[in-house]
Amino acid sequence: MHKNTLKIAFLNLFFGLIFSCQTPDTQKAKTYELAPGNEILSLPLNDQTPNISVGLQYFQGEKTYLFNANWNTNAIQIYDLGNQSLVKELIFEREGDQGIVLAYFHVQSLDSIFVFPPFGNQFILTDTSGKVKNRIRFDLPDGYSTLFVHNSYYVSPPKVMGNELVAKLRADGRISDFTQTQLDTISLAAAINLETGSVRLLPQRFPKDYLSTGQKQLEYSFHQDEDQMTVSFLGDHRIYYYSANSAETTSTEAKSQFLDEVMPSFAKDTDSRGFAEYSSAKSRYESLIFDPFRRVYYRFAFPTVTIENDDQLRALRATPGAFVVMVLDEKGRVLTERKFEGGTYYPSNYFVGEKGLYLSINHPENPKNEEDQFQFELIKLEEK
């Protein structure tokens, strides 16, 4: 009995080792898909609010809110997503000691809302009262035209880190004149001291080979956390990772199957029509959006479209065509992507909530478009 027991124990151990060694090879990698959830979120609008927004931000506190920039009324509107209603509108005076000209905004908390004018060397700190709490003035170094913290295009949310606000920069100069040598010296972001207004350029730079195949737009989108800046450039398939206080970078290949193999460029002597086609009709990556609920990134991209005349080119501005939403894990690996054909979703109006990604269905060519409502369809990331 003793020998048999030992033999059985040995066999169990032997086969257990075999199967445990095989498990990693036989496990299937998880696969995902972006699936419209047939769930529509609707928010009623007043007659002064366009149903295509110039800036949205989701905010979760005791309740969940959607903030909207309304340039028509120089206001930030606050919608309660639970009740699907407008609960407050911060209408700013344009002049005087309370004067604010709204272009972009960032909600750090309900007590700390940053408002950025379209140009200039200041931004404003307010809260849900809409009153100016502080006006931070600063001077950017030569070579930089403005902060660019757009809420819809090439989104790069500013972030408070200690007593500084980290914000995206826009370089000064004609795009066609830039050389790679110049790009090697341009910072992607600055840190602005919230007490003194002093400006500190951050060390992160453009990729060393960004212009190796020709001139490109210098747009980019990033997500900043305490330890790392993750960046997507308009004309580069790769995703870049910079440590918080270093120019050292690593990259991950993250090409969309729907975009050109070699990212488009334009000639230095191209005319305005050629540049417009490059900007609006050629393959490009746009915003990189972090989803804190699923710990993934959504990377928006636009495939090349064929343009036969100038009318079609102009129409792309108001009626965007097909676009792609990629899903990347935190290491930049592509988990899935989906191409959305034109005419249903408006690609620059979206937000991320607990359930997933919400895309606006207020495309002008969508028969379900309602002028008096914001309408968003839930797009879920699901495991197949």
Side-chain angles (χ1 to χ4, degrees):
M1 290 293 294
H2 182 65
K3 290 183 179 180
N4 288 339
T5 301
L6 288 176
K7 185 182 293 184
I8 291 170
F10 174 77
L11 289 174
N12 286 338
L13 177 62
F14 176 75
F15 286 113
L17 287 172
I18 290 177
F19 286 117
S20 66
C21 291
Q22 288 179 340
T23 299
D25 296 328
T26 57
Q27 282 183 340
K28 291 184 178 180
K30 292 182 179 179
T31 58
Y32 299 88
E33 65 176 350
L34 283 172
N38 296 317
E39 180 179 325
I40 304 296
L41 175 68
S42 297
L43 301 173
L45 305 179
N46 59 37
D47 57 7
Q48 294 182 302
T49 304
N51 73 350
I52 293 175
S53 175
V54 294
L56 298 167
Q57 184 184 336
Y58 175 90
F59 181 81
Q60 186 176 45
E62 292 182 4
K63 296 183 178 181
T64 55
Y65 298 102
L66 186 67
F67 286 72
N68 172 57
N70 187 344
W71 289 352
N72 289 349
T73 57
N74 199 41
I76 295 176
Q77 298 170 314
I78 307 174
Y79 291 88
D80 184 328
L81 293 182
N83 296 329
Q84 298 186 28
S85 62
L86 177 66
V87 293
K88 196 155 194 180
E89 188 166 19
L90 313 179
I91 301 176
F92 304 115
E93 300 175 16
R94 295 182 183 271
E95 298 178 351
D97 62 351
Q98 288 293 310
I100 298 174
V101 178
L102 168 67
Y104 319 119
F105 70 94
H106 174 67
V107 183
Q108 181 76 16
S109 70
L110 296 182
D111 294 323
S112 297
I113 301 173
F114 292 88
V115 180
F116 301 87
F119 301 103
N121 59 350
Q122 65 174 294
F123 55 85
I124 291 87
L125 181 63
T126 184
D127 55 22
T128 54
S129 72
K131 300 297 183 181
V132 173
K133 295 173 62 178
N134 195 8
R135 196 180 296 270
I136 297 94
R137 293 181 170 86
F138 59 92
D139 289 308
L140 294 177
D142 291 342
Y144 301 93
S145 59
T146 186
L147 302 179
F148 189 69
V149 287
H150 206 295
N151 296 97
S152 295
Y153 297 99
Y154 304 100
V155 173
S156 302
K159 184 175 180 62
V160 175
M161 301 180 70
N163 66 342
E164 294 179 314
L165 182 76
V166 173
K168 177 183 172 181
L169 288 170
R170 173 155 278 181
D172 194 12
R174 293 178 53 184
I175 296 174
S176 57
D177 292 341
F178 281 92
T179 65
Q180 185 64 53
T181 300
Q182 287 175 291
L183 284 192
D184 291 344
T185 68
I186 293 174
S187 293
L188 302 181
I192 300 172
N193 190 291
L194 295 173
E195 297 173 358
T196 66
S198 61
V199 177
R200 179 172 63 90
L201 295 178
L202 298 188
Q204 293 84 9
R205 304 284 191 269
F206 279 82
K208 295 290 186 181
D209 60 349
Y210 189 66
L211 299 182
S212 61
T213 59
Q215 294 300 115
K216 296 177 183 177
Q217 272 193 304
L218 308 184
E219 300 288 5
Y220 53 95
S221 175
F222 66 69
H223 171 74
Q224 175 80 57
D225 60 28
E226 297 295 332
D227 302 315
Q228 179 175 274
M229 179 187 287
T230 306
V231 188
S232 168
F233 294 91
L234 175 148
D236 197 320
H237 292 302
R238 294 164 291 187
I239 293 291
Y240 290 83
Y241 300 92
Y242 303 79
S243 60
N245 295 299
S246 171
E248 295 297 320
T249 180
T250 59
S251 64
T252 301
E253 192 66 35
K255 179 186 179 300
S256 169
Q257 62 179 310
F258 300 104
L259 269 61
D260 296 351
E261 187 70 29
V262 177
M263 292 300 290
S265 58
F266 63 93
K268 279 182 172 290
D269 60 353
T270 191
D271 58 16
S272 58
R273 199 272 180 198
F275 184 75
E277 184 171 350
Y278 163 82
S279 301
S280 302
K282 298 297 184 181
S283 286
R284 63 197 184 279
Y285 294 99
E286 202 178 86
S287 293
L288 182 73
I289 308 299
F290 183 63
D291 180 341
F293 302 102
R294 281 151 287 276
R295 308 296 301 180
V296 297
Y297 294 95
Y298 301 107
R299 191 186 198 189
F300 284 69
F302 291 82
T304 294
V305 295
T306 301
I307 296 297
E308 297 179 354
N309 54 58
D310 289 351
D311 287 340
Q312 291 180 349
L313 182 58
R314 284 191 291 268
L316 285 176
R317 297 180 181 179
T319 56
F323 66 99
V324 176
V325 178
M326 308 174 68
V327 183
L328 315 177
D329 67 13
E330 291 186 278
K331 296 183 179 179
R333 294 174 295 203
V334 180
L335 300 178
T336 187
E337 61 178 325
R338 181 175 182 137
K339 181 181 179 182
F340 296 92
E341 297 299 336
T344 300
Y345 303 102
Y346 201 85
S348 65
N349 278 199
Y350 52 80
F351 65 91
V352 175
E354 280 191 273
K355 293 183 179 180
L357 175 67
Y358 289 82
L359 290 177
S360 169
I361 61 171
N362 290 126
H363 192 286
E365 296 176 348
N366 188 342
K368 295 182 180 179
N369 181 19
E370 298 286 347
E371 291 187 0
D372 61 350
Q373 295 182 57
F374 277 143
Q375 297 179 103
F376 301 92
E377 183 170 7
L378 174 62
I379 311 295
K380 290 184 176 182
L381 178 63
E382 296 181 341
E383 187 175 343
K384 289 185 178 179

